[in-house]
């Protein structure tokens, strides 16, 4: 069974940093592209970042480029999102999502972890 | 950037109703469109990919159609478990979601 479990969320002050993790199991993690998607309270879904299976291709949404860094560790079956210079508008539930192979829609999602940016 | 616009934003319907949600892209995305269902406090669930392909395990009352810039998600006979919010997503150029359509009980 495919499982994605996010962790690392919490309360952080504006300008602070946080590192999210997503533990993957039930599939060959090293062969799948992965993504982060966020959802602000009461709002819709916003794609945040993409990393290819080999980490050779990375993309970011304009809203986070230069502040967030996506990475992965296939030895640990884990996906990461390093978030720096956090703003109030980054407050959201952050989901990790698997990219369907060989296509690019998202076939499995984790349950999310809440990040709150507030003083 | 490709913008996705869903309509309506909210839809009131009864069990057994046929429901249609529309999604329009700001430029052609061919057939690179997916539909997701999300219930409160839960992760989104994939329903449809490549505009009209039904994900394994999804009931056949869900169907998708369209190409280019206009797409629809249809629920042929609404069931109690279908009251949720639905999102379209383009994956032709990066990824963009529609703003969502909440299907509520009439």
């Amino acid at each position: 069974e495919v499982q994605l479990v996010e962790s690392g969320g919490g309360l952080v002050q504006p300008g602070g940093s946080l590192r999210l993790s997503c533990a993957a199991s039930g599939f060959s993690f090293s062969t799948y592209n992965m993504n982060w998607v966020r959802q602000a309270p009461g709002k819709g879904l916003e794609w945040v970042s993409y990393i290819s299976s080999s980490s050779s291709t990375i993309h970011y949404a304009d809203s986070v480029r230069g502040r967030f860094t996506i990475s992965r560790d296939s030895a640990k079956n884990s996906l990461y999102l390093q978030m720096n210079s956090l703003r109030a508008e980054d407050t959201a539930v952050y989901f990790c999502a698997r990219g369907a192979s060989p296509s690019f829609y998202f076939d499995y999602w984790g349950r999310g972890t809440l990040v709150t940016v507030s003083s | 950037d490709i913008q996705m616009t869903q309509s309506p934003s909210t839809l009131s319907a009864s069990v057994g109703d046929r429901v249609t949600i529309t999604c329009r892209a700001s430029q052609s995305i061919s057939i690179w469109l997916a539909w997701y269902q999300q219930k409160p406090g839960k992760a989104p669930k994939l329903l449809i990919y490549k505009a009209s392909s039904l994900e394994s395990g999804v009931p056949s009352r869900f169907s998708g159609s369209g190409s280019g810039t206009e797409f629809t998600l249809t629920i042929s006979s609404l069931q109690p478990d279908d009251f949720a919010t639905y999102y379209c997503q383009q994956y032709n150029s990066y990824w963009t979601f529609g703003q969502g359509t909440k299907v509520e009980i009439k």
Side-chain angles (χ1 to χ4, degrees), chain A residues 37 47 66 69 75 90 96 98-99:
Chain A
V37 177
W47 167 75
T69 302
D90 296 319
C96 66
R98 191 180 83 167

Side-chain angles (χ1 to χ4, degrees), chain B residues 20-94:
Chain B
T20 298
I21 299 168
T22 297
C23 179
R24 289 185 173 87
S26 60
Q27 63 189 75
S28 177
I29 57 170
S30 185
I31 56 169
W32 308 121
L33 184 103
W35 290 96
Y36 301 88
Q37 177 194 67
Q38 188 182 32
K39 296 181 179 179
K42 303 291 188 180
K45 173 188 174 183
L46 175 67
L47 300 175
I48 301 283
Y49 61 94
K50 213 164 71 174
S52 61
S53 296
L54 191 68
E55 173 70 351
S56 176
V58 174
S60 59
R61 62 180 179 273
F62 291 93
S63 64
S65 65
S67 66
T69 62
E70 188 149 342
F71 303 85
T72 59
L73 172 70
T74 300
I75 309 172
S76 60
S77 178
L78 198 65
Q79 298 303 300
D81 190 49
D82 301 338
F83 291 98
T85 300
Y86 294 83
Y87 294 93
C88 62
Q89 176 208 38
Q90 69 82 17
Y91 53 99
N92 178 72
S93 175
Y94 301 102

